[in-house]
Amino acid sequence: MQYSVLSQIYDQLMVNVDYEMWASYIESLILEQGPKPQNILELGCGSGNVTEKLLEKGYEVVGIDYSEEMLEIAEEKTEEFGNNIIYIQQDLREIDFEVYEIDTVISANDTFNYMTDIKDIEHVLTYLYPRIKKGGQLVFDISSQYKLEKVLGNNTYGESFDDMVYLWENFYDKEQKLINMEINFFEKSEKEYKRFSETHIQKAYTAEEIKELLQKIGYENIKVYADFEKEEGYNNNSQRIFFSCRK
Ligand SMILES: C[S@@+](CC[C@H](N)C(=O)[O-])C[C@H]1O[C@@H](n2cnc3c(N)ncnc32)[C@H](O)[C@@H]1O
């Protein structure tokens, strides 16, 4: 299962990611689309990095993720926020919960790329549509095709820390537009290193196909941004594409 063993090192890998900036960027896209929400549903909340920042900003958050291990870390990280945070362990592809009147839905950092069939993305966003308040916002990102194919592509990454070393090998299939990421990490225990492995698969989607899907479902005022830019737009070298729209 993806994000089972990786959960142990995920926050270490993300240590240089500025989640405060990320959450503020998401917030700015939300507020541009409509009124300030009270509650936010976060899809693929993972270990709670964006969640924590949204809670600090005063929002009530429901976080969904299928990884029990990631959710355990998130719970610990956001314990102090009490009833303002609820976590649900669920596969988004089989999303099923009775919540209506959602103010805002967000998703950060590739969760949608992990749904490798566009029908699954369509299912989630169609399921949520009647559950979002009229005028409520939807904001999420994907890693672009350029990033998956040309930046991560057939590359290998590695890094060593005091007690851990990881090797991250990527294989991109142009025809299927799938990237296969083989992650091996070696963790130091008393006298030896223990090896853990996990395979992650992500799909490359174009901004156009996601936009078309949002339109088909009925979302309105669809805007596309790239790489945390304030101005709308993206180009062939954009790495992270953000979508914002409202019901
Ligand atoms: C790259 S992590 C991002 C986590 C978090 N949003 C962040 O920014 O740190 C992607 C997350 O999506 C979750 N995920 C991927 N596919 C999912 C699915 N079908 N259902 C639920 N969660 C999923 C993974 O478990 C993982 O926690």
Side-chain angles (χ1 to χ4, degrees), residues 3 10 19 44-46 65-66 70 90-92 108-109 111 114:
Y3 287 98
Y10 182 75
Y19 278 107
C45 59
D65 204 285
Y66 62 14
M70 292 290 265
Q90 198 166 93
D91 189 330
L92 292 168
N109 205 352
T111 299
Y114 280 99

Side-chain angles (χ1 to χ4, degrees), residues 3-17:
Y3 287 98
S4 175
V5 292
L6 188 72
S7 64
Q8 294 175 44
I9 57 162
Y10 182 75
D11 282 354
Q12 218 166 332
L13 297 185
M14 296 293 142
V15 76
N16 293 322
V17 175

